[in-house]
Amino acid sequence: MRKPRLAAVLAATACAVLVAGVSVAQAGDRTAGHRGGPAVFTVIEHADTDTVVDLGPRGDSIGDTLAFGNPVYDTAGHQVGGSQGSCVRTKVGTAWECSWTTTLNGGSIVVQGPFHDAADSTLAITGGTGKWRTARGQMHLHARDAEGSAYDFTFAVER
């Protein structure tokens, strides 16, 4: 009877050590990406090509589409990439639901979320390519003027 009990105690101890080791390793992996915090930077989109396609009843209506392919600049005024995407009107006179890609040196960042007509928006970073391939986080969208001719894209990217 002693040998089976000793074997059971040893097996239980080995399982407990294994579970503790896996838990510590997983906790280490989760915090490793957050050591320096998110990379935060701003680019400025010049809304040169924004085009609304009137698909529903004449005028602003649910289902209309906004399409664009615009240049983006750094805060010093140098072109650093582009943005291209589309939005669907979801609330007349108030909001669009959008998805677009901002291409920068070394890769691209994809965002999705609301674009408010008269307020700032926060969109989810849903992925990326190249050096941004593991990107997640959020992008704050801010209109630089009342006409909507330029927008600040402030990315808070966790990788």
Side-chain angles (χ1 to χ4, degrees), residues 39-44 121-123 125 138-142 151-157:
V40 178
F41 62 93
T42 299
V43 295
I44 301 160
S121 304
T122 301
L123 294 88
I125 295 173
Q138 59 187 15
M139 186 202 81
H140 183 76
L141 175 66
H142 171 75
Y151 294 88
D152 289 342
F153 293 177
T154 301
F155 293 93
V157 183

Side-chain angles (χ1 to χ4, degrees), residues 29 42 58 66 71-72 88-89 100 108 115 119 123 146 148 152 159:
D29 287 347
T42 299
R58 178 166 279 180
L66 167 66
V72 296
V88 175
R89 180 56 104 182
W100 73 79
S108 61
F115 167 47
L123 294 88
D152 289 342
R159 296 191 273 174

